[in-house]
Amino acid sequence: MATQSHDVEALIKKRYEHGFHTDIETDTVPPGLDEDVICLISNKKHEPDWLLQWRLEAFRAWQKMKTPTWQHIKHAPIDYQAISYYSAPKSKDDAPQSLDEVDPKLLETYEKLGIPLHEQKMLAGVAVDAVFDSVSVATTFKEKLHEAGVIFCSFSEAVQNHPDLVKQYLGSVVPQGDNFFAALNSAVFTDGSFVYIPKGVKCPMELSTYFRINAMNTGQFERTLIVADEGSQVSYLEGCTAPQRDENQLHAAVVELVALDDANIKYSTVQNWYPGDENGVGGIYNFVTKRGDARGNNSRISWTQVETGSAITWKYPSCILRGDNSVGEFYSVAVTSNWQQADTGTKMIHLGKNTKSTIVSKGISAMHGDQAYRGLVRIAPTATNARNYTQCDSLLMGDQCGAHTFPYMEVRNNSAKVEHEATTSKIGEDQLFYCRSRGITEEDAVNMIVNGFCKDVFKELPMEFAVEAQKLLGVTLEGAVG
Amino acid sequence: MLSIKNLHAQVDDTDILKGVDLEIKPGEIHAIMGPNGSGKSTLANVLAGRDDYTVTAGEILFEGQNLADMAPEERACAGLFLAFQYPVEIPGVNNIYLLKAALNAIRKSRGEDALDAVEFMKLVRERMKLVKLNEDLLNRSVNEGFSGGEKKRNEIFQMAVLEPKLAILDETDSGLDIDALKIVAEGVNAMRSPERSMILVTHYQRLLDYIKPDHVHVLADGKIIKSGDEQLAKELEERGYEWVKQEAAAA
Ligand SMILES: Nc1ncnc2c1ncn2[C@@H]1O[C@H](COP(=O)(O)OP(=O)(O)OP(=O)(O)O)[C@@H](O)[C@H]1O
Ligand SMILES: [Mg+2]
């Protein structure tokens, strides 16, 4: 009777909801990476020479670097020469001015994903900058943002239209040679998003970008830069999903956030890229560098992430608390099921006085999923009266999955107060039975308990995302009780 | 309503129930008493369908349906309810959110429409009064940080909302203060009806002063060794279980 492991398997085998593939002719550069390819990418994008040189510097740095090995992740070596570094929808020369001009197949794809691209379907108040493979194809709500003086565009457009801003801030948080994957991204990034919120402006709507990986064997290297000028505020949502495929795909994004005096940036991610099948075949390799620089006094940067997808997640959204009284937050839910692996966490680097950081990490492992929380809290000698609170909880479903915690603390100022709490628990048979004995199905019960476990993080998400995140968690963990 | 025949059940390969027979008719209240560890909660859990409890022999028919074939949630939908001896805490899950999901799941199984938030809250307010449940508990996480008595009261409140056909109350009286016991008992009595049956698992005759049982059974070492009426409970209160066991051994 009831929860036997084969039921569990049947449920989890439910095919990846977003697994389909759109047929669009792509303009793809042959696999391989050298300086010529980088020149070609830069050329195709009509970039200024300084940016080409910047890319080449990154490439040279990358060539001298080695793949990091400290993470708690296993995978076959990645052949960087087997990857194609550029792919764009064919129609890019005459980029669409409105949705009518967008390839209907593309729109169909987005619709299947439930991305509200059509204006009538748009969630009220959300502007979408959709990225299909490497080039942005549609941007909405530009007008309203324009009125407020907010710049929200694709990275390529920013390079063309706001070169000074890009030049000033690009690489100022994550330098080209920061780490292996950031260096690779800096050399070959194709597109991404750019946001600038002028002084004193509260962005009138939540900004949202959906990334999607499509063409076969195309690594995707997104670059996002968000600058919040003095006294400004912005909430940015990033959601991702990808079609099913067999070969592993590399994704190495870089996100840089800059918050000047009194500015406030909230960055939320829901990541549900293809996690691979039940045998661990396929799935996205997600190696991301995300960092925010709370550069100004009284600035605040808040990361919220819900990571349910990808075969491999390697990601540590971090905050440099440089300004006095600046605040950094990290709220994370990471789910690993089937054969997914995640090594994720954050770094809070306290430099300014009275800086405060909060870390709430909820890890859920099911089936053979394996994950590690890796967090660093560093209180520099200059950071008088710094405060950190870290709470790090793991929930295990079944006995084949794993959870590990690697908290690092470096406290170099005696006035610091650092608190760390960690728990690991198994999803309670008692809790499940309790819910079921009240008439709730096992699936719904798991969902409810897991959502309860994640509540402290979900409440940080913007409304639309909170709902999506809960649904996603349900799909990811369907029947994953053992 | 409920017919248990020669029920044998194991937990972790240990035989706990060793041939339980019990017949319950609609509207009846049966009290089950017995020494610690005799298998009362095991019986309750087996009835509710807990996974790690294996039925090794015998059968349980609930309104003609074979319970062994049904998942716990199906049993609940069929009208079975267990008020737990130790209600579990579920952090982050709102108490009435769970209850609403439960009620609507049960309604759905009966082909009834889900109650909307307004209708549901109306029902909740009405049923809360039955057990004088503290309103604060509604929006707290399920049982988290509830006092022992609050947990028990919450169980009966859930019962009042879910309106089961057969309720099994596993030591609902333990941990209740004298006033609370009275209130909860009144709540239970208000739920009494010719269609609703109950099994009260208890150690104390006091509960049975408030809720009059039709039958009283003694469960010892996995078997019902004696059955009687209210008088039996009084006798047990005075004399303990030893004499019943000896009587059973002699027979
Ligand atoms: N998971 C388990 N593994 C092994 N033995 C168990 C398990 N659960 C219960 N038991 C044993 O089964 C027997 C019956 O337990 P049960 O909880 O049914 O008793 P009870 O009659 O409800 O007692 P009490 O009056 O103390 O509540 C006890 O000896 C108990 O230790
Ligand atoms: Mg008991």
Side-chain angles (χ1 to χ4, degrees):
Chain A
M1 184 192 61
T3 340
Q4 299 311 336
S5 57
H6 47 263
D7 297 345
V8 169
E9 279 162 30
L11 279 165
I12 210 129
K13 274 180 187 147
K14 209 180 123 168
R15 295 197 40 201
Y16 180 61
E17 265 202 339
H18 297 149
F20 46 82
H21 192 275
T22 316
D23 235 348
I24 288 181
E25 288 178 69
T26 51
D27 173 4
T28 302
V29 168
L33 184 56
D34 55 23
E35 296 204 355
D36 286 348
V37 170
I38 290 164
C39 291
L40 188 141
I41 294 171
S42 185
N43 205 350
K44 268 189 182 280
K45 302 178 78 66
H46 313 290
E47 286 177 355
D49 188 58
W50 68 264
L51 189 50
L52 173 61
Q53 295 311 323
W54 194 84
R55 285 174 180 277
L56 291 171
E57 275 169 35
F59 179 64
R60 288 166 198 148
W62 178 73
Q63 283 181 304
K64 295 193 194 96
M65 297 168 102
K66 288 207 169 70
T67 328
T69 51
W70 43 262
Q71 63 265 30
H72 188 82
I73 277 170
K74 286 196 202 89
H75 61 84
I78 298 166
D79 181 357
Y80 292 94
Q81 296 303 332
I83 295 170
S84 165
Y85 288 86
Y86 186 77
S87 158
K90 251 237 152 130
S91 55
K92 68 162 181 100
D93 283 343
D94 41 0
Q97 301 307 302
S98 76
L99 291 176
D100 305 342
E101 294 175 34
V102 174
D103 189 330
K105 266 223 174 122
L106 238 177
L107 292 180
E108 221 180 278
T109 309
Y110 287 136
E111 235 155 272
K112 272 195 242 174
L113 288 170
I115 297 174
L117 239 199
H118 288 303
E119 289 189 21
Q120 69 268 27
K121 284 189 189 167
M122 295 226 34
L123 299 165
V126 179
V128 173
D129 180 344
V131 177
F132 185 76
D133 277 354
S134 314
V135 173
S136 300
V137 291
T139 304
T140 44
F141 280 125
K142 275 245 160 90
E143 283 295 285
K144 200 167 169 192
L145 293 173
H146 186 76
E147 271 171 38
V150 171
I151 303 171
F152 176 39
C153 61
S154 74
F155 201 92
S156 326
E157 281 177 88
V159 169
Q160 301 306 321
N161 302 333
H162 311 282
D164 295 343
L165 281 174
V166 175
K167 198 169 174 181
Q168 185 182 350
Y169 291 104
L170 178 69
S172 73
V173 186
V174 180
Q176 290 132 297
D178 187 81
N179 67 68
F180 184 85
F181 296 103
L184 179 63
N185 173 287
S186 301
V188 303
F189 72 86
T190 40
D191 216 329
S193 297
F194 176 81
V195 176
Y196 174 77
I197 316 290
K199 274 187 193 160
V201 170
K202 180 171 186 288
C203 187
M205 61 189 65
E206 289 184 330
L207 304 180
S208 161
T209 301
Y210 277 88
F211 293 103
R212 185 170 165 82
I213 300 173
N214 199 298
M216 279 287 204
N217 278 329
T218 307
Q220 191 158 16
F221 304 93
E222 300 295 337
R223 188 95 200 179
T224 297
L225 175 57
I226 299 177
V227 180
D229 213 326
E230 291 170 20
S232 70
Q233 273 182 50
V234 62
S235 166
Y236 187 88
L237 322 184
E238 176 201 41
C240 336
T241 173
Q244 184 161 4
R245 62 184 60 256
D246 285 328
E247 279 160 87
N248 290 303
Q249 279 194 306
L250 177 65
H251 183 91
V254 172
V255 176
E256 296 179 277
L257 310 182
V258 180
L260 301 183
D261 284 352
D262 305 299
N264 186 333
I265 302 177
K266 185 174 172 61
Y267 192 106
S268 315
T269 307
V270 171
Q271 187 268 112
N272 63 330
W273 280 327
Y274 182 52
D277 67 15
E278 68 274 21
N279 299 314
V281 177
I284 303 296
Y285 286 9
N286 193 22
F287 293 90
V288 190
T289 305
K290 287 185 167 172
R291 195 173 303 153
D293 189 351
R295 206 166 279 182
N297 293 338
N298 314 310
S299 58
R300 171 190 288 256
I301 288 179
S302 175
W303 298 102
T304 306
Q305 61 173 20
V306 177
E307 303 279 328
T308 61
S310 295
I312 289 175
T313 301
W314 180 98
K315 180 178 172 189
Y316 317 90
S318 303
C319 297
I320 299 167
L321 303 173
R322 199 183 300 278
D324 289 345
N325 314 311
S326 60
V327 176
E329 293 168 322
F330 174 74
Y331 298 97
S332 170
V333 166
V335 184
T336 47
S337 191
N338 280 318
W339 297 90
Q340 284 176 279
Q341 307 175 70
D343 193 301
T344 184
T346 185
K347 288 187 227 171
M348 292 291 173
I349 312 294
H350 291 252
L351 301 175
K353 292 188 187 64
N354 307 315
T355 45
K356 242 168 69 181
S357 63
T358 304
I359 299 171
V360 178
S361 164
K362 304 276 179 176
I364 301 157
S365 294
M367 321 285 281
H368 300 275
D370 199 16
Q371 66 173 280
Y373 166 81
R374 190 180 300 278
L376 168 67
V377 176
R378 177 182 293 155
I379 313 282
T382 48
T384 311
N385 287 324
R387 297 278 176 275
N388 164 265
Y389 172 73
T390 300
Q391 185 192 332
C392 183
D393 301 322
S394 309
L395 187 69
L396 301 175
M397 301 167 80
D399 45 21
Q400 290 171 300
C401 54
H404 318 269
T405 311
F406 304 103
Y408 303 95
M409 270 180 222
E410 298 173 17
V411 179
R412 302 228 173 81
N413 185 309
N414 290 336
S415 62
K417 277 210 182 107
V418 177
E419 273 178 85
H420 180 93
E421 285 175 28
T423 65
T424 298
S425 51
K426 279 205 158 198
I427 190 158
E429 285 297 327
D430 287 351
Q431 293 173 334
L432 273 178
F433 178 56
Y434 189 85
C435 296
R436 294 179 73 190
S437 76
R438 297 296 178 253
I440 296 164
T441 62
E442 181 171 32
E443 242 177 89
D444 289 347
V446 169
N447 216 345
M448 213 180 258
I449 295 165
V450 170
N451 273 300
F453 174 75
C454 299
K455 197 177 194 171
D456 292 345
V457 173
F458 285 172
K459 71 179 183 357
E460 297 297 324
L461 285 172
M463 221 11 201
E464 309 88 286
F465 256 29
V467 175
E468 188 176 339
Q470 287 188 21
K471 277 198 295 195
L472 205 61
L473 219 61
V475 173
T476 313
L477 289 173
E478 248 162 35
V481 201
Chain B
M1 163 145 326
L2 183 74
S3 165
I4 302 176
K5 291 207 175 75
N6 189 32
L7 181 67
H8 286 71
Q10 284 185 342
V11 189
D12 286 342
D13 298 324
T14 312
D15 293 317
I16 311 277
L17 299 183
K18 301 167 184 170
V20 174
D21 292 285
L22 187 63
E23 291 287 332
I24 298 180
K25 296 198 186 67
E28 286 183 348
I29 294 197
H30 290 240
I32 297 183
M33 305 181 78
N36 293 132
S38 58
K40 302 179 298 298
S41 294
T42 304
L43 176 63
N45 280 300
V46 167
L47 290 174
R50 201 180 172 108
D51 275 346
D52 31 348
Y53 291 65
T54 326
V55 173
T56 48
E59 67 169 9
I60 314 167
L61 292 178
F62 176 58
E63 302 217 292
Q65 291 171 282
N66 191 348
L67 276 190
D69 300 338
M70 295 160 75
E73 57 268 32
E74 291 169 333
R75 300 179 193 206
C77 289
L80 203 87
F81 179 90
L82 169 60
F84 286 80
Q85 183 174 1
Y86 304 109
V88 65
E89 303 192 353
I90 313 180
V93 175
N94 188 292
N95 198 23
I96 50 167
Y97 177 75
L98 176 119
L99 190 55
K100 184 164 180 241
L103 179 66
N104 283 334
I106 293 170
R107 290 179 65 94
K108 192 174 161 200
S109 77
R110 293 197 215 122
E112 295 167 5
D113 287 339
L115 287 191
D116 66 29
V118 177
E119 295 163 324
F120 175 72
M121 282 316 292
K122 206 177 141 219
L123 178 69
V124 162
R125 303 231 166 271
E126 190 189 306
R127 297 299 147 90
M128 263 169 66
K129 286 186 210 137
L130 277 184
V131 289
K132 302 209 167 75
L133 188 83
N134 181 349
E135 176 144 12
D136 294 348
L137 300 184
L138 291 182
N139 286 308
R140 299 239 308 253
S141 294
V142 179
N143 292 317
E144 198 183 29
F146 289 22
S147 75
E150 286 170 340
K151 284 181 185 169
K152 296 302 176 74
R153 221 183 266 224
N154 191 46
E155 295 289 290
I156 300 307
F157 162 65
Q158 290 183 350
M159 174 181 91
V161 170
L162 299 178
E163 302 181 321
K165 290 181 191 151
L166 173 65
I168 306 153
L169 276 46
D170 191 358
E171 294 198 25
T172 299
D173 52 340
S174 311
L176 290 178
D177 67 45
I178 299 157
D179 295 334
L181 176 66
K182 209 165 155 188
I183 291 162
V184 167
E186 277 163 12
V188 171
N189 280 329
M191 294 293 295
R192 264 183 109 150
S193 91
E195 292 84 44
R196 182 170 295 127
S197 313
M198 295 188 199
I199 298 175
L200 308 180
V201 174
T202 181
H203 286 296
Y204 306 105
Q205 206 272 330
R206 181 195 296 276
L207 177 72
L208 306 179
D209 284 340
Y210 295 114
I211 309 171
K212 296 274 172 230
D214 299 297
H215 301 274
V216 175
H217 311 276
V218 178
L219 186 73
D221 193 24
K223 267 189 245 175
I224 290 182
I225 55 168
K226 192 172 178 68
S227 298
D229 57 13
E230 268 186 83
Q231 264 328 103
L232 175 58
K234 297 213 166 78
E235 231 175 314
L236 292 169
E237 178 100 341
E238 280 167 28
R239 300 174 59 192
Y241 292 110
E242 209 42 49
W243 65 278
V244 193
K245 283 194 204 164
Q246 280 167 12
E247 212 179 271

